[in-house]
Amino acid sequence: ISQPYGASLGQSFGGFCSMTYLSTIANPPRLMLFTGGIAPAWTPAREVYDRLWLRVKERSHRYYDQYPGDVEAVKRIVRTLLKHQEDPSLPPVKLPSGGTLTARRFLSLGLALGGTPGAAMANLHSVISSAFLDDDGDELSNAFLKRIDYEQSFDDAPLYFLLHESIYADGPESGATNWAAHSSYEDY
């Protein structure tokens, strides 16, 4: 039987789904296009995340080399958010969408550094630069909170956040992921 005509396109997580599907059918299409990064197959999840943290460290250094003033700005934002988290007399920092901005959630903006370095770094710098109403206070601006909401619109892809790590569970060769992202994060 000859291969059927047609093609499949897989973007990021969709690429993993397409690869899995195409590897199980007898006569896959002649063409498969992948866009975005495809993680290594048959690599244990913990190893993938351990390598990721090394890359995160390298990208963070590149970012702070380009925007050295953001080192203190990020520390100031984190101190402000931690104060709101730890002091029961202060209200939590609410985002326009109703979510709560914590220090950890703010720091997860660094995910953007995995994108194209120039554009991702300039965008992140723009977000950080908009954080405070003035140079001396610790009141976060509405513009900053709106940008956080926009940059982290989890509503658009809720399954991604629930299922992402499962794509590294390559069966008996790799075993269960055992919350590899979290344990690797805790070690680094």
Side-chain angles (χ1 to χ4, degrees):
I1 297 177
S2 65
Q3 288 182 306
Y5 290 97
S8 177
L9 171 66
Q11 162 65 32
S12 190
F13 181 72
F16 280 98
C17 295
S18 294
M19 246 191 315
T20 300
Y21 170 70
L22 294 173
S23 69
T24 63
I25 60 175
N27 297 301
R30 293 180 182 181
L31 179 65
M32 173 62 202
L33 302 172
F34 294 101
T35 61
I38 299 294
W42 302 292
T43 303
R46 177 58 193 250
E47 185 178 331
V48 170
Y49 285 109
D50 287 347
R51 289 182 195 170
L52 172 67
W53 287 116
L54 295 174
R55 186 170 180 126
V56 166
K57 183 177 178 180
E58 179 268 327
R59 285 287 177 100
S60 294
H61 286 295
R62 280 177 66 184
Y63 177 81
Y64 288 123
D65 285 346
Q66 187 165 344
Y67 299 103
D70 284 1
V71 172
E72 185 51 42
V74 166
K75 288 179 180 180
R76 184 176 168 209
I77 294 166
V78 168
R79 280 193 305 268
T80 298
L81 293 170
L82 287 174
K83 187 166 53 170
H84 280 266
Q85 287 172 235
E86 295 166 357
D87 185 342
S89 69
L90 294 174
V93 176
K94 289 295 188 181
L95 296 168
S97 65
T100 300
L101 181 58
T102 63
R104 187 168 183 170
R105 181 170 179 176
F106 165 71
L107 292 172
S108 73
L109 285 174
L111 286 168
L113 297 177
T116 305
M121 290 181 183
N123 185 58
L124 184 57
H125 174 67
S126 173
V127 173
I128 290 168
S129 297
S130 72
F132 293 99
L133 289 176
D134 57 56
D135 291 338
D136 301 322
D138 63 355
E139 186 175 351
L140 297 168
S141 73
N142 284 333
F144 172 72
L145 298 174
K146 286 179 184 177
R147 287 287 299 276
I148 298 287
D149 251 351
Y150 174 78
E151 298 295 332
Q152 296 182 333
S153 59
F154 300 130
D155 295 343
D156 294 343
L159 288 179
Y160 173 84
F161 295 98
L162 293 172
L163 299 177
H164 183 265
E165 188 166 305
S166 67
I167 63 178
Y168 298 110
D170 286 331
E173 295 83 20
S174 294
T177 65
N178 295 319
W179 303 107
H182 179 74
S183 62
S184 182
Y185 169 81
E186 292 294 321
D187 289 348
Y188 282 87

